[in-house]
Amino acid sequence: MAPSPSTLINEQKRKSNARHGPAKKLKGRQDGADDNEECGPWMSVLPEHLQHPITAKELMELLHYAALPGTNSVKQPSWCRVHGQQSVEGVNVVVVEGVTQRDFYKHYMTFRRLRSNYTSRVTFMPSTSNLLSGIFSSDVATSGGSYVDRAEKDRSKLHKVLTTHPVVTKFGTRRRGLTAYLLPQQEMIRGRYPVKGMPGFEEFVCTDSDDVVTDASPLFGLDCEMCLTVRGYEVTRVSLVDCWGTCVLDQLVKPDNKILDYVTQFSGITAAMLQPVRTKLGDVQGELRRLLPRDAVLVGHSINSDLTALKLIHPHVIDTSLLYRREFGQRFKLKVLAETVLQRQIQTEERTGHDPAEDALAALELAQYFIRSGPLQVLEDHLEELWGLTLQEESTHLESEPSSRFAEVLQRLGRSVCYVGKRCDVALHLANQQWLHSDKEVVASFRRLDKVPFFSVLHLSSLSKRSRDLPPDLHHKVSAHLRDMCLLFAGPLPVGFSEREVRRLFRCCGHVLSVKMLNTTHRVHALVEFKLLEGAVLALQTLNGIQVQGHTMKVQRPVNESTLDFDVILNALMSDVLNTRRLYVVKLKPLLARSVSAKRNGHTKDAERAEVNSCASTSLPANTFELSEETLAQRFGRFGAVEGIFAKAKPGRRARHACIQFASPEGKHAALSSSEELWRENFLVCPALTPPHMTSWVADDDNEHNTKGKDPLHSHQGADCSVRES
């Protein structure tokens, strides 16, 4: 597999730092690093949050705190600690859309730089599809609550020019979602917009639209060009632009009636252009109905004329000529709004006629800007340019704190901000955005920057289409690769040996998720699936060859494409930066320990005497083979300082398996070197293989997790979020 986009970004970042001067990097704590060591900023995840996927809100907490050094009022993240915040010289966020945590571990060996450079790794569960916009528009929380957005302040504190402005009187001052700007049906009726059931629109075609839309519904820009026929104005060209700015429809249409005037100076349509066209109005109506989702919101400038020409009824529309309102019902031309707000020239004299795709895009972006900025911000930014009004100097400063939106806070502090990626609705001035079509262009553009911005977001989106287009069982197939590493075949087993007895035998090595008895051969075998990779590894090492009621049981891995490089992957996982100080521990039952020990030492008779027909015995006290933190701290503290013990158990029970984290790798190595001594104490150890943020390598259906602790590896939205600021 070719290097992933994330890997390319890592290389680029180092090269950029070399070109632009040294930069400190926010990273996980390195092994053996002292808290007071001058090693630059670093972060540590709080133990209680390690296996809980972080939300978008928690991600914003980290970005705000890391990107605002010197702002003492910004709170530490609730789930991690950032050390050396004052040393952070910049923050770079890379969003790789369409890549999940499963992809990362399936191609673990490919991500060599990614897995070694990012020493803090957590599971991220986005709660919204509009993550990119949320990064820039999120409110910065402070120790005293949060900054107060200007749009949230009492209108009585605004200058009288603003309180009586038509935009404010219509929409208020608060920033709200798109549904606040939809035209109500009564207003559509008064403005002669096509409305179902109203006189004059009986022959119009209705789109397949839901009765209600939400703030998350997609926006589509629409514009038409028309010519004059014997029956009035009829459509000759239709353009539709989706919420990403992609033109999904640009179609010439031949009117049904004789054309009197092509109105070429405005429409750009000529007789030669329409001569070969066979598309009729009904064809375009059908295509629009096919393209528009049921919750689509149409945006246009004086869109009533476009819908009337199309003979189309759509109940959810935003009219940009009514967003940017003027006194006495006057309206701005689209060209003026595009030039002033978007800083873009459209409908220029050099071109004959208008380009409906260009006009549809301009209307769409004007609506997106108005929605994400809010009425008050729009007025403050363009009051003089558009409306020709100025506020008196003494009244321009509101009696409120400045805006708390993250991007505005950064820019107010003089810190550069940029977004590089595909066209996206982000709350950031267009001058700070670079829209590119491919991931290669995104990376190349960022590399070419003479000076890396203080806060940058790179959006790599080429894999998102792959994620949408692949069949529904894709995630099962990807997970199968990881699942195979946790599977073992065991046998032959005694006739009548039950699934329950197999489970009790193998659970000494780790949590057993499932057991399937295989009776297709003349001898009995079983397929055992572990929750953690460590359990499968220990079972292979310790149970292979033991005597089970007179049968020598063989334990082996399945052999298939996904397990061919198993040993190489194991070695890489053992040396993963997240596992260098972690040790996996289980407590064996005494009888089983003697059997395994005899097998290991070659004492066949001893092994037979201790054969594991009593492995399912329940007569032993529970604390004979269960673990406690006190016992582990006492037994393993002699090898080195213990930082943490992670022993998860069901309510009312003690854990049988645990993970010990030492203060240094030396403690782990000392314990592994004393494995024979620990064996005599009925302890079984191996290097940790599962990163601390993961709860399982395979699907967990035993319902022991609540919603927040649900296995992220098999959630559709789960994504490995490795974060480093530099």
Side-chain angles (χ1 to χ4, degrees):
M1 191 178 90
S4 73
S6 296
T7 303
L8 293 175
I9 290 298
N10 292 340
E11 296 178 29
Q12 176 271 331
K13 193 63 182 173
R14 285 194 292 274
K15 292 178 181 178
S16 295
N17 289 338
R19 186 171 70 246
H20 305 146
K24 298 181 175 65
K25 300 172 183 178
L26 180 59
K27 51 191 175 182
R29 179 177 177 176
Q30 298 293 335
D31 295 327
D34 194 297
D35 285 3
N36 298 320
E37 184 180 350
E38 292 295 330
C39 58
W42 56 280
M43 65 172 286
S44 58
V45 181
L46 300 177
E48 61 270 25
H49 289 273
L50 267 174
Q51 294 189 345
H52 288 169
I54 67 168
T55 64
K57 179 181 177 182
E58 290 170 326
L59 174 62
M60 302 313 164
E61 291 176 1
L62 172 63
L63 297 181
H64 294 171
Y65 189 77
L68 296 171
T71 310
N72 297 327
S73 58
V74 179
K75 297 188 297 185
Q76 274 268 19
S78 59
W79 57 279
C80 68
R81 290 294 173 263
V82 177
H83 310 268
Q85 180 215 26
Q86 302 298 323
S87 302
V88 175
E89 296 181 358
V91 179
N92 174 236
V93 181
V94 180
V95 178
V96 186
E97 190 177 349
V99 176
T100 68
Q101 183 163 257
R102 283 166 295 195
D103 295 307
F104 177 83
Y105 284 105
K106 178 181 179 182
H107 303 288
Y108 180 79
M109 298 305 299
T110 303
F111 296 127
R112 181 172 59 87
R113 291 185 177 88
L114 189 63
R115 70 174 191 261
S116 60
N117 290 346
Y118 290 84
T119 55
S120 289
R121 199 177 302 153
V122 296
T123 301
F124 176 51
M125 300 287 284
S127 56
T128 174
S129 59
N130 202 11
L131 173 67
L132 293 166
S133 179
I135 290 177
F136 293 103
S137 62
S138 56
D139 287 336
V140 179
T142 67
S143 56
S146 66
Y147 286 99
V148 182
D149 194 332
R150 284 174 291 186
E152 303 294 336
K153 276 298 184 180
D154 186 359
R155 288 173 55 189
S156 64
K157 295 182 178 180
L158 298 173
H159 189 271
K160 64 179 181 180
V161 173
L162 293 185
T163 58
T164 59
H165 194 282
V167 171
V168 174
T169 56
K170 176 63 179 178
F171 301 115
T173 59
R174 298 181 59 180
R175 181 159 46 93
R176 297 182 290 176
L178 68 86
T179 53
Y181 306 106
L182 294 173
L183 283 178
Q185 188 179 72
Q186 289 303 315
E187 189 171 348
M188 292 179 68
I189 293 173
R190 289 195 301 269
R192 292 295 297 166
Y193 290 77
V195 175
K196 185 177 181 180
M198 296 304 296
F201 305 118
E202 293 85 358
E203 298 181 359
F204 281 39
V205 174
C206 296
T207 59
D208 298 323
S209 179
D210 291 334
D211 293 335
V212 178
V213 295
T214 69
D215 289 337
S217 296
L219 296 175
F220 284 80
L222 177 70
D223 191 70
C224 299
E225 297 301 334
M226 289 155 268
C227 66
L228 182 63
T229 72
V230 294
R231 297 292 299 272
Y233 283 99
E234 295 188 47
V235 65
T236 53
R237 185 178 174 186
V238 183
S239 294
L240 185 72
V241 177
D242 66 16
C243 60
W244 305 109
T246 302
C247 185
V248 294
L249 177 66
D250 189 11
Q251 183 67 56
L252 290 171
V253 184
K254 178 164 285 188
D256 292 328
N257 300 290
K258 181 181 178 180
I259 299 175
L260 300 178
D261 187 355
Y262 286 93
V263 202
T264 306
Q265 68 271 30
F266 298 112
S267 68
I269 302 297
T270 64
M273 292 173 64
L274 289 183
Q275 194 275 329
V277 175
R278 297 292 179 266
T279 303
K280 293 292 187 176
L281 179 61
D283 302 322
V284 173
Q285 290 172 334
E287 186 67 8
L288 286 170
R289 294 184 67 196
R290 185 187 69 82
L291 289 171
L292 292 174
R294 295 187 63 88
D295 63 339
V297 175
L298 284 178
V299 178
H301 198 75
S302 298
I303 193 173
N304 54 325
S305 61
D306 300 302
L307 293 173
T308 301
L310 287 168
K311 294 186 177 181
L312 191 71
I313 294 175
H314 188 80
H316 311 299
V317 299
I318 293 176
D319 194 328
T320 50
S321 69
L322 299 178
L323 281 183
Y324 298 84
R325 291 173 175 254
R326 303 178 68 181
E327 295 281 4
F328 313 116
Q330 299 180 47
R331 302 188 184 189
F332 289 110
K333 291 184 178 180
L334 181 63
K335 178 178 181 178
V336 173
L337 290 175
E339 183 177 352
T340 305
V341 179
L342 304 178
Q343 299 180 350
R344 183 184 310 157
Q345 298 288 333
I346 65 171
Q347 302 174 3
T348 58
E349 295 180 358
E350 292 80 8
R351 178 184 297 166
T352 301
H354 300 172
D355 181 347
E358 182 181 66
D359 292 353
L361 178 60
L364 172 71
E365 291 179 358
L366 284 168
Q368 290 173 333
Y369 166 75
F370 194 99
I371 293 167
R372 68 173 177 258
S373 299
L376 185 60
Q377 187 66 53
V378 171
L379 287 178
E380 291 184 348
D381 289 346
H382 306 290
L383 187 63
E384 184 173 0
E385 295 174 289
L386 281 178
W387 289 276
L389 301 174
T390 57
L391 296 177
Q392 296 178 1
E393 187 67 27
E394 62 272 15
S395 302
T396 55
H397 301 289
L398 305 180
E399 298 176 18
S400 63
E401 296 180 39
S403 171
S404 65
R405 285 193 292 180
F406 184 38
E408 294 180 25
V409 172
L410 287 169
Q411 292 174 318
R412 195 162 55 246
L413 295 172
R415 294 166 185 169
S416 54
V417 182
C418 85
Y419 165 80
V420 185
K422 74 174 184 180
R423 184 188 300 270
C424 187
D425 181 17
V426 296
L428 192 64
H429 195 280
L430 294 177
N432 301 112
Q433 299 186 49
Q434 292 187 38
W435 293 340
L436 301 163
H437 295 291
S438 71
D439 291 346
K440 287 185 178 180
E441 291 175 335
V442 171
V443 175
S445 176
F446 194 73
R447 285 173 182 246
R448 289 195 297 266
L449 292 177
D450 294 329
K451 184 178 181 182
V452 176
F454 178 84
F455 184 85
S456 57
V457 175
L458 275 67
H459 183 200
L460 306 179
S461 58
S462 63
L463 296 176
S464 60
K465 186 175 187 301
R466 180 210 67 161
S467 179
R468 291 193 301 267
D469 294 346
L470 284 173
D473 62 346
L474 164 70
H475 298 287
H476 171 75
K477 292 179 179 178
V478 174
S479 300
H481 172 86
L482 306 177
R483 177 177 178 267
D484 288 346
M485 298 196 299
C486 297
L487 290 176
L488 293 175
F489 286 110
L493 297 167
V495 176
F497 208 69
S498 68
E499 176 185 321
R500 183 179 182 184
E501 289 172 307
V502 174
R503 183 182 293 272
R504 286 183 170 176
L505 172 60
F506 277 83
R507 72 182 181 186
C508 69
C509 297
H511 186 156
V512 176
L513 280 182
S514 66
V515 174
K516 181 180 180 181
M517 303 305 296
L518 306 175
N519 298 306
T520 54
T521 62
H522 68 281
R523 294 185 297 180
V524 179
H525 290 75
L527 179 63
V528 182
E529 181 180 25
F530 283 90
K531 180 178 180 180
L532 296 178
L533 185 54
E534 291 90 338
V537 170
L538 280 180
L540 189 65
Q541 293 175 350
T542 59
L543 299 182
N544 183 36
I546 68 169
Q547 294 289 311
V548 181
Q549 297 180 9
H551 293 72
T552 301
M553 181 180 69
K554 185 176 181 180
V555 179
Q556 57 188 332
R557 301 188 197 110
V559 178
N560 53 42
E561 181 182 357
S562 64
T563 59
L564 292 177
D565 292 325
F566 188 79
D567 293 334
V568 177
I569 296 174
L570 277 184
N571 290 332
L573 288 170
M574 289 180 189
S575 59
D576 191 299
V577 292
L578 302 182
N579 291 327
T580 53
R581 296 179 289 131
R582 302 174 71 244
L583 184 75
Y584 181 76
V585 181
V586 299
K587 184 74 179 293
L588 290 174
K589 291 184 179 181
L591 286 177
L592 181 58
R594 290 203 304 272
S595 175
V596 173
S597 181
K599 185 268 295 187
R600 281 297 186 92
N601 294 326
H603 300 157
T604 306
K605 291 184 179 180
D606 291 342
E608 291 176 355
R609 285 195 298 270
E611 65 181 14
V612 195
N613 58 357
S614 57
C615 67
S617 171
T618 57
S619 60
L620 293 170
N623 59 8
T624 303
F625 53 90
E626 292 182 347
L627 299 174
S628 68
E629 292 189 13
E630 296 79 9
T631 301
L632 291 173
Q634 179 183 2
R635 298 294 179 88
F636 287 85
R638 66 181 186 265
F639 301 115
V642 174
E643 269 192 357
I645 296 174
F646 308 93
K648 189 172 183 180
K650 292 183 179 181
R653 292 190 175 185
R654 290 188 177 183
R656 291 194 175 109
H657 326 102
C659 187
I660 299 175
Q661 180 159 314
F662 290 93
S664 68
E666 288 73 20
K668 168 188 169 181
H669 296 319
L672 289 173
S673 300
S674 304
S675 58
E676 292 297 328
E677 177 185 343
L678 291 169
W679 196 304
R680 290 191 290 271
E681 300 175 15
N682 297 335
F683 285 108
L684 197 59
V685 297
C686 78
L689 303 170
T690 304
H693 68 288
M694 288 176 56
T695 59
S696 174
W697 288 89
V698 294
D700 190 351
D701 298 324
D702 61 3
N703 298 321
E704 75 173 22
H705 298 292
N706 57 25
T707 302
K708 188 171 184 181
K710 189 176 180 181
D711 175 22
L713 194 60
H714 287 75
S715 170
H716 177 69
Q717 291 181 311
D720 187 70
C721 179
S722 301
V723 183
R724 176 175 59 178
E725 287 76 10
S726 59

